[in-house]
Amino acid sequence: MAPSKKKHASSQPCIIPGGFTVLPLQFSSDSVAQHSLYVKEHRVRAERSSHRPLDRTLFVLNIPPYCSEDVVKDLFSQFGCVESVELRDHPGTFWESGPRLSKVFKPVAKQGFKVGYIVFQNSSSITAAKSHPHDVPLVVCTEQRPVRTGVQKWIQQYRQSFINPDKLQQIVDSFMTDYDKRKEEDAERQRKEIEQQQEDEEGWVKVTRGPKGTKARPHSEAANKRTLHKEFRKKKRKELMNFYTWQHRNTQKEHIAELRKKFEEDKQRIALLRAQRKFRPY
């Protein structure tokens, strides 16, 4: 006997507008309530990170708070071998700068629904996840993978918050060793820049080519200090020269005042001759 059309339709994946496939999620096998995950192949033109290959990354929305990265990895391992899982508060590009801090120094993560990026080893795993039937829910908590919630989860987090002092000391020592190493590298790089940009006898600065793909920087901190010192000395010499320039300017002002005085006297003389009608220009 052939299966009914209703049963056949329910075994098909559920696709909603936007290209998302709905995956039902159930906390345990005896739970009545179900949750929905929305998955889609990660295809973003602006994505340049190698941590999210466009042909092997699955974008997941509406991940509940009780699902950690390990739980998500185990859930989606049934579709294929999972390479990495990344959970974030909001979707966005992969961004990471500076040294990676230990979880001891990281702030407490926000509790709420997450978005995830699941990277598979094979691109066929994405097709398998998108083809998952809508009437077969993914079970979060099993005997092989127990997931704690509520008070049990809080007690577990509280116990895990205590760190062994020896382990903490090792983490701090490792971080400080890396920090000292970076400081030494920066000091060595600055020393090399100063040596390469030493002024010759005529005051010229040798500009060297930087690493491949970067622009040359002719001015270092030491070169800037030398330039400021030269400007200061030049300003001092200019102030001394301005003393004599002030005298010269004063003489010029006096000469101009004298010429204006003579001009006014000539104007008065011409006006007097006009009044006496004895002005004969030719």
Side-chain angles (χ1 to χ4, degrees), residues 13 15 19-23 38-44 51-60 76-84 116-133:
I15 301 176
F20 287 93
T21 302
V22 181
L23 296 183
Y38 306 99
V39 301
K40 182 180 180 181
E41 187 175 0
H42 178 60
R43 290 192 176 276
V44 181
H51 298 274
R52 299 175 185 170
L54 297 181
D55 57 337
R56 296 186 290 112
T57 304
L58 188 68
F59 179 56
V60 186
F76 285 86
S77 295
Q78 58 180 308
F79 305 116
C81 187
V82 177
E83 191 173 292
S84 64
Y117 297 90
I118 304 173
V119 180
F120 293 96
Q121 288 188 357
N122 300 319
S123 58
S124 59
S125 302
I126 296 180
T127 306
K130 293 168 63 176
S131 303
H132 187 72

Side-chain angles (χ1 to χ4, degrees), residues 63-75:
I63 300 177
Y66 51 80
C67 289
S68 61
E69 292 185 355
D70 295 334
V71 173
V72 174
K73 185 175 182 180
D74 291 339
L75 280 175

Side-chain angles (χ1 to χ4, degrees), residues 5-249:
K5 294 183 179 181
K6 185 176 180 181
K7 184 178 180 180
H8 177 71
S10 63
S11 63
Q12 298 297 321
C14 178
I15 301 176
I16 61 176
F20 287 93
T21 302
V22 181
L23 296 183
L25 186 69
Q26 196 171 337
F27 182 76
S28 60
S29 57
D30 55 350
S31 298
V32 179
Q34 289 188 357
H35 184 76
S36 296
L37 299 179
Y38 306 99
V39 301
K40 182 180 180 181
E41 187 175 0
H42 178 60
R43 290 192 176 276
V44 181
R45 294 182 180 180
E47 184 66 62
R48 300 179 180 178
S49 174
S50 59
H51 298 274
R52 299 175 185 170
L54 297 181
D55 57 337
R56 296 186 290 112
T57 304
L58 188 68
F59 179 56
V60 186
L61 290 176
N62 210 26
I63 300 177
Y66 51 80
C67 289
S68 61
E69 292 185 355
D70 295 334
V71 173
V72 174
K73 185 175 182 180
D74 291 339
L75 280 175
F76 285 86
S77 295
Q78 58 180 308
F79 305 116
C81 187
V82 177
E83 191 173 292
S84 64
V85 175
E86 179 188 356
L87 298 182
R88 296 171 61 100
D89 296 330
H90 304 283
T93 57
F94 185 86
W95 179 79
E96 182 177 357
S97 63
R100 296 187 63 181
L101 300 179
S102 171
K103 63 180 181 180
V104 181
F105 303 101
K106 289 183 179 179
V108 179
K110 297 180 179 179
Q111 297 296 329
F113 289 86
K114 305 283 185 180
V115 298
Y117 297 90
I118 304 173
V119 180
F120 293 96
Q121 288 188 357
N122 300 319
S123 58
S124 59
S125 302
I126 296 180
T127 306
K130 293 168 63 176
S131 303
H132 187 72
H134 183 60
D135 56 349
V136 180
L138 304 177
V139 181
V140 176
C141 182
T142 60
E143 295 181 358
Q144 296 80 12
R145 185 184 60 248
V147 177
R148 297 182 180 181
T149 58
V151 178
Q152 295 181 355
K153 181 181 178 181
W154 297 340
I155 294 174
Q156 183 183 11
Q157 291 178 350
Y158 178 74
R159 290 176 178 175
Q160 292 177 352
S161 63
F162 294 97
I163 303 174
N164 189 357
D166 297 335
K167 184 178 180 180
L168 179 60
Q169 187 64 40
Q170 291 178 0
I171 296 173
V172 173
D173 293 341
S174 177
F175 178 81
M176 293 305 300
T177 302
D178 295 339
Y179 177 79
D180 294 339
K181 185 178 179 181
R182 290 195 305 271
K183 295 294 289 184
E184 291 177 359
E185 291 176 354
D186 293 341
E188 183 68 18
R189 179 177 53 81
Q190 293 180 2
R191 185 183 64 80
K192 289 182 179 179
E193 287 182 357
I194 293 174
E195 292 178 355
Q196 293 175 355
Q197 298 171 4
Q198 289 292 341
E199 295 182 357
D200 56 12
E201 296 179 355
E202 298 181 357
W204 293 94
V205 178
K206 181 181 180 182
V207 181
T208 57
R209 186 180 296 276
K212 186 177 180 181
T214 60
K215 296 181 179 179
R217 294 179 296 175
H219 298 291
S220 62
E221 186 176 357
N224 292 334
K225 288 182 179 179
R226 289 194 296 270
T227 304
L228 292 175
H229 185 62
K230 288 172 64 176
E231 290 292 334
F232 180 75
R233 289 186 299 175
K234 185 177 179 181
K235 186 177 180 181
K236 286 292 184 182
R237 291 197 300 268
K238 190 174 181 181
E239 288 177 357
L240 184 61
M241 292 176 61
N242 286 341
F243 174 75
Y244 302 103
T245 306
W246 175 81
Q247 286 185 338
H248 182 62
R249 191 182 299 113

